[in-house]
Structures are given as structure tokens and as C-alpha cells.
């Protein structure tokens, strides 16, 4: 019987120095900073590194997008300022002491840009609530047409308590710049310094024509303009069922009569709340020569106190045919989104 051959352990064949070096380089006995992980330990580290790179990349992309958005917003703000007149409106203190001015937070401020040569209103905006002194701005976004505003205009401010800008109510006051103001001016100082008398020029006598000339101006209104049924159009305004969700009681109704011969509004009336179906009426201001052919009727809902600016959700309706003055049974429908 042959004795089994026992193979000596390799450990026994190593010298003490070799053994000592093995101990020193053992991954479980080396200091942590010098330790080399066994095969396979790097998989988690690579995953962590990949996640970190992804996070850094997403953060960089987000920063670029935010920077681009901010740059675009600043550019739009600069363009808006360049196309507008901005400044501050305040009330002459003596008007309060004299009992002429009476301003509460429910009042609003009607701002007009008026062409000094033709006395035509080129832009209209409402600021609400009115808490003077306060910042104001009016410009291209509030213009009657989409054409750029250039040159200089008179700035007029009128306080309004009842939704009828040209109807005189005690406590309403008026102010205008002494000289035309250039578009782009950012330091306008508008002072409301006199009682309001009922017209854009603030001539005595409420209900006077807003504009000079035979058209008598587009921004007339008030009860005085509607006392004569023969110069008034009356009816009921409704909304198309598919668009009813866009109308709220807080919306204002802007009722306009367009003169097809003059190519501009002959009268505008603002109804402060919208509760459809709703009765409406609008008439020519005193002194305005009527157009025998009739007028085009347009009604718009206003959500942002800017009748000539199309805000999301605003609606418009237009008469298909000319409506003669004296008509009292107009059935009017707001049937499409308002788009400038």
C-alpha cells in the first residue's frame, strides 16, 4: 500500500518577508485610503458617477433655460417700455381739503392718449383699484389699432365711480399733461388737479362731446347721451352656449357703435359687470350728427381693464348688418373669441 502523498501548503513555502508583504497589502488590513477594492467593487462607483453627471447636466440645462427665459422677459419689458408712456399719477392735495376729490378703492382710473393735432383718442386703459400715488403705463398694448404708436400724445386721466366714464359723479376728478408726452417716456408725472366736468377736454357741462369735429368723438357715453330714444340703440346681449364658460360676472361689457362712413367708433359705453343675458343700450353723444345708414354694433367682454387688448377668454360679437338709431329690440350674441 502506497502512502498518500501530501502536498505541502504553499503558505509554508513562503518566506517571512513574503508573508509580511501579503499582510501589508491585504485589502482588509490596509488603511482605508490605500485600500484597493476587490474585483466587482467598482460597479456601484461607476453608477454613482453616472447619476452625478446626469444631475449636473440637467442642472446646467435648467440654468440655461431659466437664463434664456429671463433674457426674453427683460427684452419684452424693454420693448414694452419703449412703446409706452410710464410714470406716476397723484391727486392735488387741495382737492381733498376742498371736498372736490373723493377717492375710494373701488374707483378706477381711465387713462387716455390723445392725438394733440386731431384730438382723437388713440389708446385707452383702465387702472383698478385706484390708490394714488401709483404707477401707470399706457401704450401700444392699449391702442385702438395694431399700428405702432409714434410721436407725442397728451395724457389724460379721469377717475370713475360708476362704470360710465363720461357721466359726472360727485368726487370724480380730472387731470392732463400740460404738453404732449413722447412714446417711451418713463418719467411722466400726471396730476389730477380739477373736478371732472364730463368731457375729454373737461369743458363744463356733463355729456358734452368728447371729441372735436363732426364725428363728436368715439368715447362719449353716459345717461345724457341716451335720453333721446331716437338716438339710441337698445337690446339684449347673450353668449353662444359653447363659449359660456369664458364669461364671468367680473367681466366688463364694452359696447361700441362704429360709424362706417367715419371708419371709427361713434360711441363707447362700458358696463361694469356681465350677467348674461343682459340688457344694453348705447346712444350718440349730444351734438353728434347721426348716420342715416345706421351703425355697426360691436360688444366685447373685458377681463383686464384694457378694452383694446385681447386677453385670453375675452369674447366679441359683431352685428351682421348696420343697425339704425332708434332700434329697441336687438338680439345680440357673443359668438367668437376676441382676437386683435
Amino acid at each position: 500500500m502506497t502512502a498518500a502523498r501530501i502536498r505541502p501548503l504553499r503558505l509554508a513555502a513562503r518566506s517571512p518577508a513574503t508573508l509580511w508583504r501579503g499582510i501589508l497589502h491585504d485589502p482588509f488590513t490596509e488603511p482605508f485610503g490605500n485600500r484597493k477594492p476587490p474585483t466587482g467593487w467598482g460597479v456601484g462607483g461607476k453608477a454613482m458617477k453616472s447619476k452625478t453627471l446626469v444631475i449636473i447636466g440637467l442642472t446646467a440645462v435648467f440654468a440655461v433655460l431659466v437664463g434664456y427665459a429671463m433674457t426674453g422677459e427683460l427684452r419684452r419689458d424693454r420693448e414694452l417700455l419703449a412703446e409706452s408712456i410710464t410714470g406716476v399719477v397723484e391727486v392735488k392735495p387741495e382737492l381733498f381739503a376742498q371736498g372736490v376729490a373723493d377717492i375710494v378703492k373701488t374707483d378706477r382710473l381711465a387713462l387716455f392718449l390723445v392725438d394733440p393735432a386731431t384730438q382723437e383718442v388713440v389708446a385707452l386703459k383702465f387702472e383698478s383699484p385706484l390708490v394714488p400715488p401709483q404707477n401707470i403705463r399706457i401704450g401700444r398694448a392699449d391702442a385702438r389699432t395694431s399700428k405702432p404708436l409714434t410721436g407725442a400724445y397728451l395724457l389724460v386721466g379721469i377717475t370713475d365711480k360708476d362704470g360710465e366714464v363720461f357721466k359726472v359723479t360727485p368726487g370724480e376728478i380730472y387731470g392732463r399733461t400740460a404738453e404732449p408726452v413722447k412714446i417711451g417716456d418713463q418719467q411722466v408725472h400726471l396730476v389730477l388737479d380739477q373736478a371732472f366736468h364730463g368731457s375729454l377736454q373737461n369743458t363744463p357741462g356733463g355729456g358734452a362731446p368728447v371729441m372735436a369735429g363732426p364725428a363728436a368723438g368715439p368715447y362719449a357715453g353716459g345717461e345724457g347721451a341716451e335720453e333721446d330714444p331716437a338716438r339710441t340703440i337698445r337690446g339684449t346681449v347673450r353668449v353662444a352656449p359653447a363659449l359660456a364658460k369664458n364669461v364671468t360676472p367680473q367681466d366688463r361689457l364694452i359696447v361700441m357703435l362704429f360709424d362706417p362712413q367715419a371708419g371709427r367708433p361713434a360711441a363707447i359705453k362700458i358696463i361694469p359687470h356681465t350677467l348674461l343675458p343682459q340688457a344694453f343700450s348705447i346712444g350718440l353723444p349730444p351734438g353728434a350728427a347721426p348716420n342715416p345708414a345706421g351703425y355697426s354694433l360691436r360688444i366685447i367682454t373685458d377681463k383686464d381693464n384694457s378694452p383694446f387688448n385681447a386677453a385670453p377668454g375675452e369674447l366679441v360679437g359683431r352685428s351682421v348688418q348696420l343697425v339704425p338709431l332708434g332700434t329697441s329690440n336687438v338680439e345680440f350674441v357673443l359668438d367668437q373669441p376676441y382676437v386683435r
Side-chain angles (χ1 to χ4, degrees):
M1 181 173 179
T2 305
R5 185 177 179 181
I6 300 175
R7 184 176 180 181
L9 293 174
R10 295 180 62 187
L11 181 64
R14 295 181 180 180
S15 66
T18 303
L19 290 174
W20 184 243
R21 283 196 302 271
I23 293 173
L24 287 177
H25 290 281
D26 186 88
F28 295 98
T29 59
E30 282 190 18
F32 184 78
N34 300 327
R35 189 179 303 169
K36 297 180 180 179
T39 303
W41 281 28
V43 175
K46 293 179 180 179
M48 289 293 291
K49 185 176 181 180
S50 298
K51 290 180 179 179
T52 301
L53 292 175
V54 170
I55 293 173
I56 293 174
L58 291 176
T59 303
V61 171
F62 178 75
V64 170
L65 293 176
V66 170
Y68 179 78
M70 291 182 65
T71 301
E73 189 67 25
L74 290 174
R75 183 176 62 253
R76 284 190 293 271
D77 286 344
R78 289 194 298 268
E79 292 174 353
L80 187 59
L81 288 173
E83 298 173 344
S84 305
I85 291 173
T86 57
V88 176
V89 61
E90 64 178 12
V91 178
K92 186 178 180 180
E94 288 83 350
L95 296 187
F96 291 112
Q98 298 167 0
V100 175
D102 176 27
I103 295 179
V104 296
K105 289 186 177 180
T106 54
D107 292 355
R108 60 178 182 166
L109 176 68
L111 291 173
F112 300 85
L113 287 184
V114 181
D115 188 320
T118 64
Q119 291 297 299
E120 181 179 355
V121 174
V122 298
L124 167 63
K125 183 179 182 181
F126 291 93
E127 296 282 359
S128 179
L130 173 60
V131 187
Q134 72 181 48
N135 295 329
I136 55 173
R137 179 168 64 193
I138 182 172
R140 180 177 180 179
D142 313 296
R144 289 178 52 198
T145 67
S146 58
K147 296 180 180 179
L149 296 178
T150 59
Y153 301 91
L154 293 170
L155 176 61
V156 176
I158 303 171
T159 63
D160 177 41
K161 292 181 174 293
D162 55 9
E164 293 284 355
V165 177
F166 293 101
K167 174 187 174 183
V168 180
T169 300
E172 293 180 342
I173 53 178
Y174 171 98
R176 66 184 289 173
T177 55
E179 299 292 338
V181 182
K182 292 183 179 180
I183 294 294
D185 194 329
Q186 301 177 25
Q187 298 182 344
V188 177
H189 187 207
L190 176 63
V191 180
L192 306 178
D193 57 1
Q194 53 190 289
F196 178 51
H197 297 300
S199 73
L200 198 61
Q201 292 80 20
N202 210 33
T203 53
V210 177
M211 307 285 270
Y219 295 99
E223 293 179 352
E226 301 179 17
E227 291 177 352
D228 184 358
R231 297 170 60 85
T232 304
I233 294 175
R234 301 177 185 273
T236 302
V237 59
R238 307 175 187 275
V239 62
L243 299 174
K245 63 182 180 181
N246 294 296
V247 181
T248 69
Q250 291 73 34
D251 296 349
R252 300 184 307 160
L253 276 182
I254 314 299
V255 185
M256 294 183 282
L257 283 184
F258 278 83
D259 187 332
Q261 292 182 351
R264 63 183 182 183
I268 290 182
K269 181 177 181 180
I270 299 174
I271 303 175
H273 301 289
T274 302
L275 300 170
L276 303 178
Q278 184 167 344
F280 73 90
S281 61
I282 186 170
L284 290 184
N291 182 356
Y295 295 84
S296 175
L297 182 63
R298 182 182 302 178
I299 300 181
I300 303 171
T301 61
D302 178 36
K303 294 180 177 292
D304 60 356
N305 287 332
S306 184
F308 299 126
N309 179 47
E314 291 182 346
L315 305 178
V316 64
R318 298 176 176 86
S319 59
V320 179
Q321 298 176 341
L322 297 182
V323 182
L325 293 177
T327 304
S328 59
N329 57 352
V330 176
E331 290 292 332
F332 199 88
V333 180
L334 303 172
D335 58 1
Q336 54 188 298
Y338 180 43
V339 180
R340 284 294 302 274

